[in-house]
Amino acid sequence: MSIEAVSAPDRDLLRPLRYLWRVPLLLLHVVLGILLCGFILTWNRHAVMKSGREPFTHRMIRAWSKALMRIFGLRSVRVGQPMRDAVLFVANHTSWIDIELLHSQRAACFVAKAEIANWPLVGWLAASGGTIFHRRGNNHSLATVMQAMVERLREGRSVAVFPEGGTGHNGVLRVFHARIFQAALDAEVAVQPVALRFMRDGRRQIDAGFREDENFLQNFLRMLGGAPMDAEVHFLEQVPISQDGRRRMADLARERIAKALEDRAA
């Protein structure tokens, strides 16, 4: 069952008022993030889940990310349950906020484009959280990323990727690249699809992420002043491992995410 996908009206009289209280809160939260990364992550950044119990570091990452979402007017909502470490999470991609959205429910090492490393605040936080940066179009970079993913997974750490290879626009879910699923095969871990969607008054907001021709700063400021929304993280049924069918794994993961994005009851 599909739902009406809409955008928030551009004329929002309350936007200036939201900036008045959200900007100071964001600055304070950044300071707390510096302390978090400078002490807790440095002290215990390689901790892994044991017997299904999250280490203290992971709980702090989730708490900080959930608070960041609230500052942006986003209420993080979990649907379903994430699998225990180690697991390869594969999710749809709309904007930079997706990393913090998934982190609000489950700490993981992300694979992200190399440009993010140079973004203010977000790049520093991503690097501190163990993000693996990939330079698109560079085969050597991809090979290095794949090796790093397998190593993290074998260490017992979860890894999260965006198989579309870039951000989608207007609610369009792009084709998933199959090669990224090879890391799960090599490390012999499960693959769990994750659907990320933004909702307001029961309707999906397709432009909560990047609009076409919108840069990071424009999107950051638009979201910071935006009206409240629910940011849903749907942890879906795992994809069966297929040694000779990573293309099938990619297509099945995409099918499950597409259904969750469109289904009222997902």
Side-chain angles (χ1 to χ4, degrees):
M1 181 185 300
S2 62
I3 62 176
E4 182 183 359
V6 297
S7 303
D10 289 332
R11 185 173 179 78
D12 185 351
L13 298 180
L14 295 179
R15 178 175 293 272
L17 296 179
R18 296 191 192 103
Y19 285 127
L20 286 178
W21 67 268
R22 287 182 181 176
V23 170
L25 279 179
L26 179 61
L27 294 176
L28 176 61
H29 199 62
V30 169
V31 173
L32 293 177
I34 293 174
L35 296 176
L36 173 69
C37 293
F39 294 98
I40 299 176
L41 291 185
T42 301
W43 163 60
N44 200 22
R45 67 185 305 172
H46 299 297
V48 298
M49 181 179 291
K50 295 181 180 179
S51 301
R53 293 177 59 87
E54 286 183 298
F56 177 71
T57 308
H58 290 193
R59 295 197 299 271
M60 290 300 298
I61 290 174
R62 288 200 299 107
W64 190 91
S65 297
K66 187 173 292 188
L68 178 68
M69 303 290 292
R70 294 295 294 182
I71 292 173
F72 276 80
L74 301 173
R75 186 174 72 95
S76 182
V77 179
R78 177 192 293 183
V79 181
Q81 291 296 324
M83 299 178 65
R84 294 183 177 184
D85 288 343
V87 57
L88 178 66
F89 294 113
V90 294
N92 58 301
H93 196 18
T94 60
S95 80
W96 62 273
I97 200 70
D98 296 339
I99 294 178
E100 295 305 324
L101 175 53
L102 206 157
H103 263 166
S104 72
Q105 300 298 332
R106 181 61 174 277
C109 302
F110 276 83
V111 175
K113 62 181 182 179
E115 291 83 352
I116 291 179
N118 298 319
W119 286 359
L121 176 60
V122 176
W124 176 71
L125 288 171
S128 299
T131 296
I132 304 168
F133 293 107
H134 168 49
R135 195 167 299 282
R136 293 176 184 171
N138 186 316
N139 289 331
H140 176 70
S141 173
L142 180 57
T144 302
V145 167
M146 293 291 290
Q147 181 180 358
M149 289 175 59
V150 172
E151 290 175 353
R152 303 277 177 93
L153 291 168
R154 286 176 175 170
E155 291 170 355
R157 306 172 70 186
S158 287
V159 175
V161 297
F162 302 116
E164 293 171 273
T167 54
H169 304 292
N170 300 321
V172 175
L173 187 64
R174 295 162 33 164
V175 174
F176 281 13
H177 295 288
R179 184 175 178 181
I180 205 75
F181 289 77
Q182 187 64 45
L185 295 173
D186 292 345
E188 299 181 339
V189 301
V191 175
Q192 185 173 29
V194 182
L196 309 176
R197 71 177 185 179
F198 300 88
M199 305 286 290
R200 182 184 293 117
D201 299 326
R203 294 180 294 178
R204 183 181 172 201
Q205 306 296 303
I206 63 173
D207 75 339
F210 282 116
R211 293 174 176 173
E212 292 190 63
D213 301 321
E214 184 178 50
N215 62 35
F216 165 74
L217 183 59
Q218 291 170 331
N219 180 265
F220 185 94
L221 293 175
R222 179 167 64 85
M223 294 193 72
L224 183 59
M229 288 187 291
D230 284 341
E232 300 178 347
V233 185
H234 294 249
F235 291 98
L236 308 173
E237 181 184 355
Q238 76 177 80
V239 173
I241 296 296
S242 175
Q243 288 293 341
D244 58 352
R246 64 186 188 187
R247 176 72 265 164
R248 177 54 186 159
M249 292 172 62
D251 291 342
L252 183 56
R254 184 183 182 279
E255 289 171 11
R256 289 180 177 171
I257 291 174
K259 184 178 185 302
L261 292 177
E262 297 175 357
D263 198 336
R264 285 185 186 272

